Amino acid sequence: MNNFTKEVMSVGEMASGAKLTVPVYVFETENNSAPSVYIQANMHGAEVQGNAVIFQLLELLQHCNLQGNITLVPYANPVACNHKNGEYTLGRFDPITGENWNRMYHFDQSVIAPFAQQYLDASEEEIADKFQQLLITEIDQRLEHNIWGITTGQRIAYQLQRLAHQADIVLDLHTGPISSKHLYCPEYAKSSAEYFDIEHTIFIQNGFDGAMDEATFCPWWSLQEAYQDLGRNFTMGKGAFKKESFTVELGSQEQIDLDVAKQDALGILSYLQSQGVIDNKQYQPQEMTRYACYLKDYKALYSPMGGMVDYLGEFGKPLAAGEPLARILRMDNYGDGEALHYVSLEQDVIPILHFASASVNQGTELYKVFCNYFEL
């Protein structure tokens, strides 16, 4: 049986002086011949299913043949976890700044070109080691040597990012409002998507918008491009540059299902098996039809009017052009106008998630859908 260690990491302080803390679980192996892994959950307060998945992973990993170190962090954002209003959890945005909690990570593009020039003739192993240290040092400087200080959200994000930069594989566990499971996957790691037991994948380019997955793969992808500009070629995701990061969307927010969480954990173990992190051949991907689209084709549909919405589009199933996604009830029109309005699109789509409430204003995001989708 594999033993794990548990530490409690301080990520800030409340006005009362109470510490904001995050639990950190670590499996270490003497073999350590495979990529290392970092997995976190619950950066957004209502997105709690990832904690159940980490619980199931902790249970299962104790009996796995580990080849690489694995760090797991549930309850990654203690402020968001506890940001309640009545029965609802509001922890998607920092209540002080209004900023999305998952848009506060750090990446400085300006450090890439000078580093590539400095280590143009170094070995891949030296480059990987030096670049990882550079990324960690940058985070340390922002945490410890910023004379103007940093926000509560930045402090939490940077502490988590420091852990993530020490790993080769990063999985950030999220959920949607009312949602199917889907995966955000960098384009260079397309072949990895088929190892997750997730039917829908969004391929994202090398662009940084503040999220954890981008903060951990964009630096390495940018480094590859910088070396290619200098005439040195290597393939991102191989050898010393085995760096992959994913946002794993586990369904709907504000609920957990431990049985489903075990299936989600098995899917993650299937991916870790494919990467050599564990050596347990029983963890293999399920056979399923997997659909994908590029981020530019992952579209939001906004409500053309206010009203009460009956969501009709079935998650994960192709919906033909012209078929209704939703119908909107307008009781204010009953008796002297049209009370029921159907909403459809003029192209084939796959519905992925929809707004959590049936009550919407004009301009509310109703659905997010795959357009121009294809099978993997």
Side-chain angles (χ1 to χ4, degrees), residues 36-40 163-165 167-172 212-213 216-217 243-248 271:
S36 56
V37 179
Y38 173 80
I39 303 174
Q40 72 174 31
L163 292 177
H165 275 325
D168 303 304
I169 292 170
V170 175
L171 304 180
D172 192 11
M212 169 61 92
D213 57 349
T216 46
F217 77 71
K243 303 289 180 179
E244 293 189 353
S245 302
F246 306 89
T247 294
V248 185
Y271 166 70

Side-chain angles (χ1 to χ4, degrees), residues 181-250:
K181 297 177 187 179
H182 52 289
L183 181 74
Y184 286 89
C185 174
E187 287 185 12
Y188 71 85
K190 284 181 180 179
S191 61
S192 293
E194 66 187 60
Y195 293 103
F196 292 90
D197 290 336
I198 295 178
E199 295 178 329
H200 305 100
T201 298
I202 303 162
F203 292 124
I204 57 180
Q205 295 179 316
N206 184 30
F208 180 66
D209 192 34
M212 169 61 92
D213 57 349
E214 299 161 347
T216 46
F217 77 71
C218 282
W220 295 91
W221 196 343
S222 298
L223 183 64
Q224 169 186 287
E225 293 172 335
Y227 274 122
Q228 289 173 342
D229 289 343
L230 293 170
R232 175 171 180 167
N233 294 315
F234 63 85
T235 302
M236 179 69 195
K238 293 184 178 179
F241 293 92
K242 183 61 179 179
K243 303 289 180 179
E244 293 189 353
S245 302
F246 306 89
T247 294
V248 185
E249 299 279 354
L250 297 165

Side-chain angles (χ1 to χ4, degrees), residues 13-246:
E13 296 178 355
M14 303 294 285
S16 65
K19 299 288 187 183
L20 294 170
T21 61
V22 172
V24 179
Y25 298 87
V26 179
F27 288 91
E28 290 187 314
T29 174
E30 292 182 0
N31 187 2
N32 199 24
S33 58
S36 56
V37 179
Y38 173 80
I39 303 174
Q40 72 174 31
N42 210 178
M43 190 62 181
H44 290 138
E47 301 181 11
V48 293
Q49 177 69 0
N51 299 316
V53 173
I54 286 182
F55 165 78
Q56 296 290 15
L57 285 170
L58 286 167
E59 294 281 290
L60 293 165
L61 286 169
Q62 293 179 65
H63 306 284
C64 286
N65 185 8
L66 297 181
Q67 305 298 305
N69 298 332
I70 301 177
T71 300
L72 304 103
V73 180
Y75 304 127
N77 185 345
V79 178
C81 291
N82 295 291
H83 188 190
K84 304 290 289 188
N85 187 354
E87 63 186 290
Y88 299 105
T89 310
L90 301 183
R92 184 171 182 81
F93 302 97
D94 183 333
I96 305 301
T97 66
E99 190 173 358
N100 187 326
W101 288 113
N102 193 37
R103 296 295 183 271
M104 302 189 200
Y105 299 99
H106 172 71
F107 170 46
D108 181 3
Q109 179 72 44
S110 69
V111 305
I112 302 298
F115 179 92
Q117 188 67 58
Q118 181 179 357
Y119 293 97
L120 180 59
D121 298 319
S123 67
E124 287 196 352
E125 290 73 17
E126 183 181 6
I127 291 171
D129 180 66
K130 296 293 187 183
F131 191 62
Q132 183 182 59
Q133 286 303 314
L134 172 63
L135 296 177
I136 294 172
T137 298
E138 277 213 311
I139 295 298
D140 286 342
Q141 289 175 343
R142 297 183 74 84
L143 280 168
E144 301 169 10
H145 304 294
N146 189 326
I147 62 172
W148 301 107
I150 55 178
T151 69
T152 299
Q154 289 171 330
R155 186 171 298 279
I156 293 170
Y158 296 162
Q159 297 271 67
L160 298 170
Q161 189 176 350
R162 193 183 193 283
L163 292 177
H165 275 325
Q166 297 172 57
D168 303 304
I169 292 170
V170 175
L171 304 180
D172 192 11
L173 308 185
H174 285 259
T175 64
I178 306 297
S179 176
S180 63
K181 297 177 187 179
H182 52 289
L183 181 74
Y184 286 89
C185 174
E187 287 185 12
Y188 71 85
K190 284 181 180 179
S191 61
S192 293
E194 66 187 60
Y195 293 103
F196 292 90
D197 290 336
I198 295 178
E199 295 178 329
H200 305 100
T201 298
I202 303 162
F203 292 124
I204 57 180
Q205 295 179 316
N206 184 30
F208 180 66
D209 192 34
M212 169 61 92
D213 57 349
E214 299 161 347
T216 46
F217 77 71
C218 282
W220 295 91
W221 196 343
S222 298
L223 183 64
Q224 169 186 287
E225 293 172 335
Y227 274 122
Q228 289 173 342
D229 289 343
L230 293 170
R232 175 171 180 167
N233 294 315
F234 63 85
T235 302
M236 179 69 195
K238 293 184 178 179
F241 293 92
K242 183 61 179 179
K243 303 289 180 179
E244 293 189 353
S245 302
F246 306 89

